Amino acid sequence: MPLVAHTALPTFQRLREEGEEILSPDRASHQSIRELHIGLLNIMPDAALEATERQFFRLVGACNQIAQFHVHPFTIEGLERSPEAWAHIHQYYESFEQIKQDGLDALIISGANVTHDHLQEEDFWKPLTEVFEWATQNVTSVLCSCLATHAFIQHCYGVERTRLPAKRWGVFSHKVVDRQHPLVAEINTRFDVPHSRFNEVFQRDMEKHGLKVLVASEIAGVHLAVSPDGFRIVFFQGHPEYDDISLLKEYKREVLRFYHGERDDYPPYPEHYFDSEVQRLLSDYAVHVKAAKHGARPLKAMPETQIIEHLDITWRDSAKAVFNNWLGKVYQITNEDRRLPFMDGIDPNNPLDL
Ligand SMILES: CC(C)(COP(=O)(O)OP(=O)(O)OC[C@H]1O[C@@H](n2cnc3c(N)ncnc32)[C@H](O)[C@@H]1OP(=O)(O)O)[C@@H](O)C(=O)NCCC(=O)NCCSC(=O)CCC(=O)O
Ligand SMILES: N[C@@H](CCO)C(=O)O
């Protein structure tokens, strides 16, 4: 929550010049204080559905302990779901119709599993673009994760993601490339983010279309960029919401796919994620899996409990800091009526007055 310049202390002006949000006493006394309403469009596969809820709810809730947040989960048609997942959705999620009727201040769109070569071939493509269309008109800011980023960029700018020669998978170091932008103001200038994707939209393609790149990795490419207006669409290619165990769960899935003959090669480790002790445990386990696959003995479970003790989470503080900046800015410009994106006087083409 922002500072109020309730005295003439020069520090307020200095901090304002450095990009800190500082409210004048007049603005502060006229601010309409209310809760924020944030949508979560969850399009992750069933096994990760509730973990994804926890991950984004946690980032929203943990990033700021003072403001009040209502998070509204919803989903779309066109995703393969079990009856159990649909039962969960019907019991606890809102419909997109309801969301549209009530309005949102901010919207998060999760990643998803890729099943086709081109995104427009996915059954969920049309429903997803309908959410994009509505959100760009009615929501103050939309934050897209991974596949949602690729889909939004394709839909709005006509740039198709590129299939990578190998899956980008692991925890990578990133640098803030635009330190002035309010989304990354006052945060660490270098931090980790996990990535898990087969595809990428490259920095040069983003910049060609006026997107502003804010955080990138020398190895893993762009993590964070914003739409040309500076704020209305926030693009994540990485997964700062991931838990410490998320990449381990994905690695275990790949090992099981190898065991069941669904992939030919034994999966590589996610990069910069397993320490040497875990690598030792997993290389012993690989010997066991290969022998079990050839019928020598029954498959034992991966020693997850032992592994988890060694896993560090090195990305969450920065993830919370970016979420705090994002939601703080949304709060400053959103309309008191949550169905409207901006307060009077906010320029939709440059909402942060950058
Ligand atoms: C890997 C799996 C299949 C693992 O799920 P499983 O059910 O097999 O796990 P399990 O070992 O049986 O353990 C179940 C317990 O772990 C929890 N759990 C499951 N997945 C988790 C995750 N990712 N992070 C944290 N916790 C997780 C469950 O809630 C449950 O907890 P409790 O027992 O406590 O309830 C899943 O996480 C998953 O589908 N992840 C993939 C996500 C994905 O597709 N990402 C792509 C997005 S990235 C993207 O957009 C791609 C774009 C591109 O490639 O270009
Ligand atoms: N943007 C509003 C807060 C939400 O009602 C204000 O600053 O007054």
Side-chain angles (χ1 to χ4, degrees):
M1 291 284 102
L3 289 167
V4 177
H6 67 291
T7 71
L9 188 72
T11 285
F12 288 122
Q13 186 51 26
R14 178 75 179 255
L15 286 174
R16 192 176 277 133
E17 286 161 12
E18 288 173 9
E20 181 79 28
E21 180 82 52
I22 310 279
L23 301 189
S24 68
D26 182 55
R27 162 91 174 102
S29 64
H30 288 95
Q31 187 161 27
S32 146
I33 302 295
R34 66 157 168 87
E35 74 289 348
L36 266 190
H37 291 270
I38 303 156
L40 171 61
L41 172 55
N42 194 351
I43 51 176
M44 282 293 240
D46 288 0
L49 190 73
E50 290 185 57
T52 302
E53 287 169 20
R54 293 195 293 274
Q55 289 164 359
F56 283 112
F57 274 62
R58 181 191 296 120
L59 272 188
V60 168
C63 83
N64 188 307
Q65 302 282 315
I66 302 169
Q68 295 179 5
F69 300 110
H70 293 217
V71 185
H72 304 268
F74 67 107
T75 193
I76 46 177
E77 296 288 338
L79 296 145
E80 208 177 296
R81 296 247 181 252
S82 66
E84 293 75 27
W86 274 124
H88 175 79
I89 287 164
H90 286 138
Q91 185 168 2
Y92 299 111
Y93 282 31
E94 294 173 32
S95 66
F96 182 40
E97 287 311 309
Q98 189 67 45
I99 296 271
K100 284 196 281 193
Q101 204 174 311
D102 297 340
L104 292 173
D105 299 301
L107 170 62
I108 298 163
I109 308 181
S110 77
N113 225 352
V114 278
T115 48
H116 290 76
D117 289 341
H118 300 283
L119 283 169
Q120 66 275 22
E121 295 163 356
E122 304 280 354
D123 288 342
F124 61 79
W125 174 255
K126 193 162 174 289
L128 183 60
T129 57
E130 281 165 13
V131 176
F132 291 162
E133 293 292 331
W134 173 78
T136 41
Q137 297 301 316
N138 295 282
V139 179
T140 311
S141 184
V142 182
L143 188 151
C144 298
S145 167
C146 201
L147 179 136
T149 283
H150 297 167
F152 214 124
I153 289 178
Q154 179 174 335
H155 183 64
C156 289
Y157 310 105
V159 180
E160 265 210 71
R161 62 194 184 161
T162 301
R163 176 88 185 186
L164 295 168
K167 185 172 181 175
R168 176 72 62 216
W169 201 30
V171 180
F172 299 90
S173 176
H174 293 67
K175 195 168 168 59
V176 173
V177 291
D178 178 356
R179 296 187 188 190
Q180 307 306 318
H181 194 281
L183 261 186
V184 288
E186 316 279 347
I187 72 169
N188 291 355
T189 56
R190 182 167 280 284
F191 57 88
D192 286 341
V193 184
H195 287 259
S196 177
R197 59 187 152 78
F198 293 101
N199 299 280
E200 179 155 340
V201 175
F202 298 108
Q203 180 159 358
R204 60 176 179 277
D205 289 327
M206 292 187 182
E207 289 175 341
K208 214 189 294 171
H209 290 83
L211 275 67
K212 297 177 208 306
V213 171
L214 305 183
V215 177
S217 153
E218 293 83 351
I219 297 166
V222 173
H223 162 54
L224 170 54
V226 285
S227 48
D229 59 81
F231 192 62
R232 298 197 64 179
I233 320 292
V234 178
F235 299 106
F236 282 2
Q237 278 200 112
H239 286 282
E241 78 283 5
Y242 267 18
D243 291 307
D244 48 3
I245 60 168
S246 303
L247 291 175
L248 171 64
K249 293 285 181 195
E250 294 180 9
Y251 177 76
K252 186 179 78 169
R253 175 194 58 194
E254 293 308 307
V255 172
L256 289 173
R257 288 185 62 227
F258 169 81
Y259 174 75
H260 292 297
E262 292 161 19
R263 65 179 286 165
D264 297 331
D265 60 322
Y266 200 84
Y269 297 140
E271 291 178 71
H272 318 296
Y273 179 56
F274 294 138
D275 68 13
S276 52
E277 174 63 15
V278 171
Q279 291 187 31
R280 196 186 57 72
L281 284 168
L282 287 172
S283 79
D284 290 349
Y285 186 64
V287 173
H288 165 75
V289 172
K290 287 171 192 167
K293 185 176 157 115
H294 293 107
R297 45 188 113 111
L299 182 69
K300 285 193 284 194
M302 184 181 278
E304 279 187 83
T305 317
Q306 251 174 299
I307 293 170
I308 287 167
E309 282 172 29
H310 288 265
L311 299 178
D312 284 314
I313 187 154
T314 57
W315 52 88
R316 186 161 284 158
D317 290 359
S318 305
K320 287 196 297 189
V322 171
F323 259 65
N324 191 29
N325 283 343
W326 178 53
L327 293 172
K329 287 294 171 195
V330 166
Y331 194 76
Q332 293 306 318
I333 60 179
T334 192
N335 199 288
E336 188 175 8
D337 178 346
R338 74 194 233 213
R339 291 166 306 177
L340 303 174
F342 299 116
M343 296 190 302
D344 290 345
I346 299 293
D347 176 3
N349 297 314
N350 181 15
L352 297 184
D353 195 21
L354 298 173

